[in-house]
Amino acid sequence: MSEPTPLLRVSARGLLRRRGVWLPSAVILGLLSLVLSMLYLGANNDPVGSTKDLPIALVNGDRGTEVAGQRIDLGAQIATQITGSAELRDKVSWKKADRRTADDLLARGKVFGALVIPEDFSASVAALGGPPQHEPHPPTMTVLTNPAAGSFGSGMAAEINRKVVANTSAQVGRGLTQELGRQSAQHPASAHAGRPAAPGAAAQLMIADPVKVNVEEGHPLGAHSGLGLSAFFYALVLVLGGMLGANVIHTQVDTALGYMANDKGPFRLVKPAQHMTRMHHFVVCSVLMVVLSMLTSALAMAGAVGVVGIDASHLGLLWIFGTCATAAMGITALALLAVFGTPGPIVSMLVLIGLAIPSAGATIPLQALPDFYRFLAEFEPFRQVVDGVRSILYFGARTDAGLGRAWTMTAIGFAGSLLLGLVLTRLYDRRGLHRSALQLSDPQPQPGPRTVPA
């Protein structure tokens, strides 16, 4: 039995004095901190200023009215002013629709909210400028929110709609004030006689700010939906399950082949090294990833739905989509590990987490992100997973609510990553770049001390 190869010893102080220990760690950690801070804070730095083409539905149901033989259609005038506003021209993409179409847009997550002008709007405004009423009815505009499409985006849309209503109210108030002044000038005698030429006291209080706002949920969510954020966190679980699962599987296969030691506390087990081609190694890891994704998706759903109790339906579809999404993420991470080796986990973290989360549109809507992140959102996998989960949880698993695109992009990502891993590992093998453990040569006797002749 041969003696174990003697190990060279080094002191902690000696190791800390080596530049090769400090420099790579400093460069890698420093660049990661710099890049991640720029990515995350750059995406959320100024969402209001970055907003472009935020989709909001505009419903004009006003039927108009006649006053003194003259046709008045304030709803059409207001809708034209809203869509032609220079202040909102680039920020908002108004979707003119009837109420049924607007409800459908909300139910598919295509708009973040809606502004509804009711059918009696012109009549309500005209009543304020007409004869006094016992109980004047204030004109009202309805703001519909859509937290299912994203709570932040829904809040932005609601705030924009409130400002639109406030501007409309001020405009209508000025018109009413002018009309009352004209009526008072035309009938001064009636005013001196104690007969009001303007509406009653209650209506007078409405003149300055006549239009009221009514806020409602356009597409209601359950109480256990995290205000529209449960889809984001569930998608995050799936993405992390794929990325971390790939690292775990890769490590376990390497340990089984003897490429890595198995450290358990103070105990260390090293198996004899067994040769396997890079391509076969990638195939084995991929098979494990696909099969185990079924388990991890089921347990993720059991924890979220069964234990935590989030609102969810279509549980079978949620499990299948979660399995496919986790497998696609895992295969992507495994391909990056196979291609880049030791830097693979860092690259996969940047691709699947660093670049993906800010461009997912899960917290900040895509329309409120800088152009760079909107470009990333076209292909970054996290966005596709969020859209799929959101459709299943909030929009009845409708394919036109994001699930169709999610399935397509998940399949493309899975196939592309699998092909990348197979092609490059096969290329490495053909060039003889195997992962077999290096065989250490027998230790050579060290030369003794040299004597220098006098």
Side-chain angles (χ1 to χ4, degrees):
M1 182 175 177
S2 60
E3 295 292 330
T5 303
L7 298 177
L8 297 177
R9 293 184 177 274
V10 62
S11 66
R13 180 179 297 179
L15 187 61
L16 288 174
R17 287 177 178 175
R18 294 182 184 178
R19 186 173 59 180
V21 173
W22 288 94
L23 188 58
S25 300
V27 170
I28 293 173
L29 294 178
L31 286 177
L32 279 177
S33 299
L34 175 64
V35 170
L36 290 177
S37 67
M38 292 173 60
L39 287 173
Y40 280 84
L41 298 179
N44 304 299
N45 185 41
D46 184 17
V48 175
S50 300
T51 301
K52 183 179 180 181
D53 297 331
L54 188 74
I56 302 176
L58 177 59
V59 179
N60 176 27
D62 185 23
R63 295 182 178 180
T65 189
E66 288 190 5
V67 177
Q70 184 179 2
R71 180 71 180 175
I72 297 178
D73 195 347
L74 292 178
Q77 297 176 20
I78 292 171
T80 301
Q81 292 173 359
I82 291 173
T83 56
S85 171
E87 181 182 358
L88 300 176
R89 183 174 297 133
D90 295 330
K91 291 184 177 296
V92 178
S93 176
W94 295 103
K95 310 293 184 183
K96 288 186 176 181
D98 55 27
R99 183 57 188 267
R100 178 177 297 180
T101 303
D103 289 341
D104 182 66
L105 291 173
L106 290 166
R108 291 188 291 128
K110 299 301 182 183
V111 293
F112 287 97
L115 179 60
V116 180
I117 304 174
E119 60 182 19
D120 64 343
F121 186 79
S122 293
S124 299
V125 174
L128 293 179
Q133 302 179 36
H134 180 65
E135 293 182 359
H137 174 64
T140 303
M141 297 174 69
T142 301
V143 172
L144 300 177
T145 63
N146 193 12
S151 57
F152 191 90
S154 177
M156 291 181 65
E159 182 62 25
I160 290 172
N161 284 334
R162 287 192 185 96
K163 290 182 179 179
V164 168
V165 174
N167 293 335
T168 300
S169 182
Q171 179 183 350
V172 172
R174 288 192 295 268
L176 287 173
T177 301
Q178 294 174 1
E179 176 63 20
L180 292 175
R182 186 182 63 80
Q183 293 179 11
S184 178
Q186 290 180 352
H187 306 283
S190 62
H192 287 297
R195 180 182 174 187
Q204 290 271 10
L205 298 176
M206 301 180 185
I207 299 302
D209 186 19
V211 182
K212 305 307 177 184
V213 61
N214 179 36
V215 180
E216 300 176 1
E217 277 196 15
H219 183 69
L221 285 176
H224 302 286
S225 296
L227 298 177
L229 288 176
S230 60
F232 164 68
F233 289 108
Y234 194 90
L236 182 61
V237 171
L238 298 179
V239 172
L240 289 177
M243 188 185 72
L244 297 178
N247 287 301
V248 170
I249 289 173
H250 193 276
T251 301
Q252 293 303 312
V253 172
D254 274 0
T255 301
L257 292 174
Y259 293 172
M260 294 181 61
N262 186 6
D263 288 322
K264 294 181 179 178
F267 305 102
R268 184 177 180 85
L269 176 64
V270 182
K271 294 184 177 181
Q274 305 170 63
H275 173 71
M276 176 176 282
T277 65
R278 288 179 178 269
M279 188 179 74
H280 288 164
H281 186 283
F282 176 70
V283 169
V284 169
C285 291
S286 299
V287 171
L288 287 169
M289 188 74 247
V290 171
V291 174
L292 294 180
S293 293
M294 302 178 189
L295 173 65
T296 58
S297 177
L299 292 178
M301 188 173 68
V305 180
V307 178
V308 177
I310 68 169
D311 292 325
S313 58
H314 306 280
L315 297 184
L317 181 58
L318 183 62
W319 171 71
I320 294 173
F321 180 79
T323 298
C324 295
T326 302
M329 294 294 170
I331 297 298
T332 301
L334 287 172
L336 295 174
L337 280 166
V339 171
F340 292 101
T342 301
I346 298 177
V347 177
S348 64
M349 186 199 69
L350 286 175
V351 172
L352 300 178
I353 300 296
L355 293 171
I357 290 183
S359 61
T363 52
I364 306 296
L366 297 180
Q367 293 80 4
L369 296 177
D371 292 339
F372 172 69
Y373 298 91
R374 299 183 201 180
F375 167 73
L376 290 178
E378 294 299 321
F379 55 87
E380 271 291 343
F382 199 102
R383 182 250 177 126
Q384 327 307 330
V385 178
V386 168
D387 285 351
V389 173
R390 181 179 283 160
S391 175
I392 295 172
L393 293 183
Y394 306 151
F395 300 123
R398 296 176 60 168
T399 55
D400 56 355
L403 184 58
R405 175 187 169 88
W407 275 120
T408 301
M409 296 302 293
T410 299
I412 292 175
F414 181 92
S417 298
L418 187 62
L419 183 62
L420 174 68
L422 291 174
V423 169
L424 289 184
T425 52
R426 176 60 175 165
L427 178 62
Y428 292 166
D429 288 332
R430 293 186 64 178
R431 293 189 175 184
L433 303 173
H434 302 298
R435 298 187 69 239
S436 300
L438 296 176
Q439 300 296 325
L440 297 177
S441 59
D442 293 335
Q444 300 296 325
Q446 299 295 320
R450 296 177 58 187
T451 59
V452 180

